[in-house]
Every structure is written in C-alpha cells, then in structure tokens.
Amino acid sequence: MIVLFLTVGVTLSTIASFVFGIPWLMPILGAAVPYPIFFLQVRRQQYKSAFWWMLLWGVLQSIGVIVATIIAPQTAAKVILRGESYTAEMFHWIRTGEGMEGTLRLFLPNHLLHYGIFCILCIVTISSAALIFGTWMLNYMNFYVAQLIKISAKPWLAAILGWYPWSLVRVIGFIATGVALAALGLNLFTRMRGEVPKFAFPKTYMLIGITFVIADIIIKGVLAPIWQKLLLSALG
C-alpha cells in the first residue's frame, strides 16, 4: 500500500509541478509525498522503516523527474530550480575537467555547507524543511541526468554513469541523518512543552549519516577524475 501511495504521489506531484509551472512549488510538493509516512514512522520509533521508505521515495522521485524532464525539457527547465545552471556546470566539468566537481578545495566547503543547513533544518522542523531542501537538490541532479542521457552519443552509458557513486552515498547519508535528527527534534519539542522526552535517539543512524557523508567526500575526491573521462566518452 505504501509503495503504491509513494508511486502515485510522486507521479501526481511531478505532473502538478509541471502544470502549475511554479518553481518553488516543485520541491514542496515532492517533499509532501513521503513526509507523512516518514513522520509517522519516526514518531513510532520505527527508524529502520523510516529510512527504507525514504530511500525508496528517493528512487521513485528520481525516476519521475528524469522521465518528466525527457518528455517536457522546456517546462522542466522552468520549474526545476538550478536545473540549467547545474547542468551547465556539470557539462563544463565533463568536457574540460575544470570546475567544482573535481576539485576538493572547491567542493568541500559547499558539501559541508549543505550538510550543515540540512542538519539544522532537520532539528528545527523535524526534518520537514530539510526534506524540501533535499528534494530541491535531488531534482536538479535528476534534471542534469536527463539532459546528459538526451544529448549523449551513448545514452545507455550516460544512464549508468549519470548518478555518480559519491552522490548515491551522499543521499544515503542525508536520509540516515534526517531520521536521527528528526527524533532529536521531536525530543526537543517535547522538552519545550515541559514533558519528558520519550523518543530514543537513534545513534546508529546518526553514525551512518556522518560516515556516508564523509565517504561521499573521499569517494568523490578519488573517483571524480576517472568519472569525468567516462562521462566524456559517453557524450561522444
């Protein structure tokens, strides 16, 4: 039932975003689909379920945005915030090897800033605003992947390489962090009401989150130059 709900929800939210054509609405609608399930699971302290449902949603959201972008690229360019600028940045890096993606001193501050913002939003909003923030990043990444597949001489190879391994690791790290810090946020709100906190803090998921975010940086530093050459081959 939840799988069906997420699938239909992603489809309808993506269609609605393209129909309304309001850029800031797309990450909000996208995040609104999984959040009730996520929140309910965290409240029940079913952290494992919250993690896996969010991971499934991330896959479905990515497929939905990629397909929608391929079908209606002009509309996608209008409604997906930072889609075009991120794509231009990635294509420049693929063709020249220059840019933030392959340079540790450039991408590290950006990564840490995004993670810091995400963590704060998780605690303050019980991960609701953090999910909107994460959906925004997920959407422009998928816009780029769709454009890469569309213009590549080897679309099948572009489809395989488009989602970088370090980006996949980062998504897992953010989801695990979101689960842990949502529980922390619930405890803080409980304490503010003068009640005794009742939600066990899932340290394991916080550790997973931090570990995967660090792994993202390491993997990216090592693999980015290799991946750039593979992507250049896919472009043709």
Side-chain angles (χ1 to χ4, degrees), residues 165-199:
W166 56 88
S167 296
L168 295 172
V169 169
R170 187 185 317 156
V171 169
I172 294 172
F174 272 55
I175 291 175
T177 299
V179 170
L181 294 185
L184 177 60
L186 279 172
N187 276 335
L188 290 177
F189 278 105
T190 302
R191 190 180 295 276
M192 288 171 63
R193 292 197 302 267
E195 302 173 10
V196 178
K198 57 184 177 181
F199 300 98

Side-chain angles (χ1 to χ4, degrees), residues 6 24 38 80 96 104 117 121-122 146 168 170 207:
L6 291 175
W24 55 263
F38 170 82
I80 298 179
T96 66
L104 179 63
I117 293 172
L121 292 176
C122 282
L168 295 172
R170 187 185 317 156
L207 181 60

Side-chain angles (χ1 to χ4, degrees), residues 116-186:
I117 293 172
F118 183 82
C119 288
I120 293 170
L121 292 176
C122 282
I123 298 171
V124 174
T125 69
I126 314 178
S127 291
S128 57
L131 182 55
I132 294 172
F133 181 65
T135 304
W136 165 64
M137 292 189 289
L138 191 67
N139 286 347
Y140 69 66
M141 177 69 184
N142 286 310
F143 177 89
Y144 150 69
V145 172
Q147 296 296 337
L148 179 69
I149 293 171
K150 183 179 179 180
I151 71 168
S152 292
K154 304 173 184 175
W156 61 271
L157 184 57
I160 295 172
L161 299 174
W163 257 96
Y164 312 142
W166 56 88
S167 296
L168 295 172
V169 169
R170 187 185 317 156
V171 169
I172 294 172
F174 272 55
I175 291 175
T177 299
V179 170
L181 294 185
L184 177 60
L186 279 172

Side-chain angles (χ1 to χ4, degrees), residues 6 31 33-44 46-47 49-51 53-54 122 126-128 131 175-183 186:
L6 291 175
V33 173
Y35 187 74
I37 297 168
F38 170 82
F39 182 77
L40 183 61
Q41 298 299 319
V42 171
R43 274 189 63 88
R44 291 175 175 174
Q46 296 176 346
Y47 302 125
S49 295
F51 173 81
W53 285 127
M54 287 304 300
C122 282
I126 314 178
S127 291
S128 57
L131 182 55
I175 291 175
T177 299
V179 170
L181 294 185
L186 279 172

